[in-house]
Amino acid sequence: MRFTVTLSPELFFDFDIRAIRKITRREESNMSDKFAPSPPQTYDPVAGEGSSKKRYVRFLISLSTNFMFLLALYNAVISVFLPNQVQQITEASGGDKVAVLAVIMTVVSIFTFFDQPLAGALSDRTRSRFGRRTPWIVGGTFIGGVALAMVAHQTTIIGLTLFWVIAAVALNMAQGPLSASLPDRVEERRRGVASGFIGAAQTGGGTLGIIFGGWIANRDLAAGFYFFAVGIFVVSLASCLFNREQSSEGMPREPFCWKTFFTQFWVSPTKYPDFGWAFAGRFVMFLGYQLIVNYQLYILRDYINLSKSDSNVIIGVMASIQLVMLIISAVVSGYLSDKLQLRKPFVIISSIIMASAYLFPLFMQNEISMLIMAGVIGLGYGCYMSIDMALMTQVLPEKGANAGKDMGVLNIANKCPQMIVTPLGAFILSVTTSYSAVFIFAIAMVVLSACLIVPIKSVK
């Protein structure tokens, strides 16, 4: 006589009454394996030949294109579209454009603070025929695109803030699982080149976003919002279709527990010190970098004293210069990092280069200094973004067993500065009434980021 008792989709006991003791002992011996944390989903390695190599190239192109467009969207909206739209609204209704922009960015950052690691953790547990990451990437970009299109129609600060919050939350819910794709599919020793291409795509996309944003802002601001709203969904969908993820329906997973789910977001810096140093280094780097990026348009207008139309043009020229330098820097540094199997020296040196870039406008208050700054920033930031991602994947706890969640936690180091820098910049300007103090603070943060990478031990 036999019967089955099902306890969960992953676990069941098959009892034979005549041999119950033997079966019970066998099931107990397998219990630890049944509840062991699931390993990261594996794909064809980079080193494969023939079709495996083609799949890797297709994956790299798909992921790079997706990141490029996503970063282009972010930079165009944050650095050009929103400042222009805020200025239009405040000029019509009254108000301080700097203070209003600071409030908007603070509210958005509060809502997006934890959504990347949350989406990453949920994607780790997602079981579907489309895989773990694809449903989040496609769904997030669709909702984000619709909300972004609505931003274009807003004539009040409340409406603008509301729809940008929805768009930012949805897009970040897609970005967390998107970031987890790198440790999912690329073996560790090859991540320098992969990270180099993705870093070049990110920085190149961000620069192209500013170029395009500055160009279209003088023509049709709403069309710019529509372009990115439709484009981000189309690019993400095409990326997932051309680079299909394996089904995750058969992957095991631990029983769900709300307490365990939320406590896992805390990664102890004492237990995983390298993860802590990497997080801190990225945090202060983006604190310094984003401070200048977020106020770049107002720096051109209020510090360099350019007109609205001229500043929209110059910001595009700066972005073009930066684009050329960062693509060269990202690809070359990624190749050298893999060849030498070194990460830390590249991240440290790139941070110092970026800090030196801010010295030019600090001591020369003219257009030429801003153009020089753009070129030097491109050189340093391209190297930093290409190697920093590879370094981050090598300090993940438990060798990336929960890559979606952990990469999302690391991305808080990108998001938190975005929440801080705009009100921080407004505070610095209110106290000092000078953008010189903003540059000095940015230099200090970027140099500090280089110092925080030095103690990392598990990565050369």
Side-chain angles (χ1 to χ4, degrees):
M1 178 177 180
R2 304 176 68 90
F3 62 92
T4 297
V5 178
T6 301
L7 300 182
S8 76
E10 293 88 6
L11 181 64
F12 65 87
F13 294 98
D14 189 8
F15 292 92
D16 185 334
I17 298 300
R18 293 171 297 179
I20 188 168
R21 291 183 180 178
K22 180 179 178 181
I23 300 301
T24 301
R25 285 196 299 269
R26 187 182 67 211
E27 293 296 335
E28 287 176 349
S29 68
N30 291 333
M31 188 72 70
S32 60
D33 292 335
K34 294 284 186 180
F35 284 99
S38 60
Q41 193 170 355
T42 56
Y43 297 80
D44 284 321
V46 177
E49 298 293 337
S51 61
S52 294
K53 188 172 183 179
K54 290 179 181 179
R55 281 195 293 270
Y56 166 67
V57 172
R58 187 169 62 241
F59 159 73
L60 190 56
I61 293 173
S62 299
L63 188 61
S64 298
T65 302
N66 214 325
F67 269 117
M68 181 179 70
F69 203 93
L70 184 62
L71 269 293
L73 183 158
Y74 283 143
N75 277 22
V77 173
I78 293 173
S79 298
V80 183
F81 293 175
L82 287 183
N84 274 287
Q85 198 168 10
V86 166
Q87 187 164 351
Q88 290 174 6
I89 295 173
T90 54
E91 285 179 348
S93 60
D96 184 343
K97 64 184 180 184
V98 173
V100 170
L101 184 63
V103 170
I104 293 173
M105 296 308 298
T106 301
V107 172
V108 172
S109 297
I110 290 173
F111 278 94
T112 59
F113 190 77
F114 280 112
D115 61 345
Q116 280 196 36
L118 178 61
L122 290 172
S123 73
D124 286 338
R125 297 184 58 83
T126 297
R127 302 294 179 262
S128 77
R129 60 190 293 259
F130 302 106
R132 295 187 294 173
R133 318 300 182 191
T134 299
W136 294 89
I137 295 170
V138 175
T141 54
F142 174 76
I143 296 172
V146 172
L148 185 61
M150 295 301 298
V151 176
H153 298 282
Q154 303 311 305
T155 57
T156 66
I157 297 301
I158 293 177
L160 188 153
T161 304
L162 174 64
F163 284 103
W164 177 233
V165 164
I166 296 172
V169 168
L171 293 172
N172 273 273
M173 293 291 277
Q175 186 177 352
L178 190 65
S179 298
S181 298
L182 180 63
D184 273 353
R185 305 192 185 195
V186 180
E187 56 187 353
E188 189 173 288
R189 69 187 182 88
R190 303 255 180 175
R191 290 178 190 169
V193 170
S195 179
F197 276 98
I198 295 169
Q202 285 182 299
T203 48
T207 305
L208 287 171
I210 294 177
I211 294 173
F212 175 77
W215 174 80
I216 202 167
N218 284 335
R219 292 165 175 79
D220 189 343
L221 190 59
F225 279 107
Y226 299 149
F227 172 78
F228 284 111
V230 175
I232 188 60
F233 173 69
V234 172
V235 169
S236 296
L237 180 62
S239 176
C240 292
L241 289 175
F242 283 114
N243 188 67
R244 296 193 178 187
E245 188 179 1
Q246 293 178 357
S247 171
S248 61
E249 289 180 320
M251 291 183 66
R253 62 181 171 189
E254 297 178 76
F256 185 80
C257 172
W258 284 107
K259 182 179 179 180
T260 302
F261 179 76
F262 284 108
T263 56
Q264 71 176 325
F265 291 108
W266 168 251
V267 180
S268 173
T270 55
K271 186 177 180 180
Y272 302 105
D274 287 351
F275 185 91
W277 288 118
F279 182 97
R282 175 179 277 198
F283 177 90
V284 295
M285 161 60 75
F286 279 92
L287 190 63
Y289 177 73
Q290 287 295 144
L291 183 62
I292 303 301
V293 169
N294 282 23
Y295 282 100
Q296 194 166 242
L297 193 64
Y298 292 165
I299 288 172
L300 290 171
R301 292 176 182 178
D302 302 333
Y303 183 68
I304 307 300
N305 299 316
L306 298 179
S307 66
K308 292 179 185 178
S309 59
D310 287 344
S311 61
N312 283 332
V313 172
I314 291 297
I315 200 172
V317 175
M318 289 173 57
S320 300
I321 295 172
Q322 185 174 329
L323 175 63
V324 174
M325 297 303 295
L326 68 86
I327 289 178
I328 296 172
S329 176
V331 174
V332 172
S333 59
Y335 169 77
L336 291 176
S337 177
D338 269 0
K339 185 176 180 62
L340 301 174
Q341 286 298 295
L342 295 174
R343 312 296 189 208
K344 286 169 57 178
F346 287 91
V347 175
I348 293 169
I349 293 172
S350 64
S351 301
I352 301 302
I353 292 173
M354 291 178 65
S356 68
Y358 297 135
L359 293 173
F360 291 96
L362 179 62
F363 292 109
M364 296 187 299
Q365 193 174 332
N366 54 42
E367 294 178 41
I368 299 299
S369 68
M370 295 295 289
L371 297 176
I372 295 174
M373 182 194 78
V376 180
I377 280 290
L379 182 64
Y381 191 61
C383 176
Y384 180 86
M385 286 299 292
S386 65
I387 309 304
D388 179 65
M389 180 176 284
L391 186 148
M392 294 297 167
T393 65
Q394 292 180 227
V395 298
L396 297 179
E398 301 174 8
K399 297 183 178 180
N402 297 290
K405 181 265 295 183
D406 292 328
M407 288 298 288
V409 171
L410 281 172
N411 282 334
I412 291 177
N414 306 11
K415 299 302 299 179
C416 190
Q418 292 181 20
M419 180 176 67
I420 298 172
V421 293
T422 313
L424 176 63
F427 173 76
I428 293 173
L429 289 172
S430 67
V431 173
T432 64
T433 67
S434 173
Y435 280 98
S436 296
V438 174
F439 282 111
I440 292 172
F441 183 86
I443 291 170
M445 291 299 99
V446 175
V447 171
L448 178 59
S449 74
C451 299
L452 292 172
I453 297 299
V454 175
I456 294 177
K457 297 179 179 180
S458 61
V459 183
K460 293 182 180 179

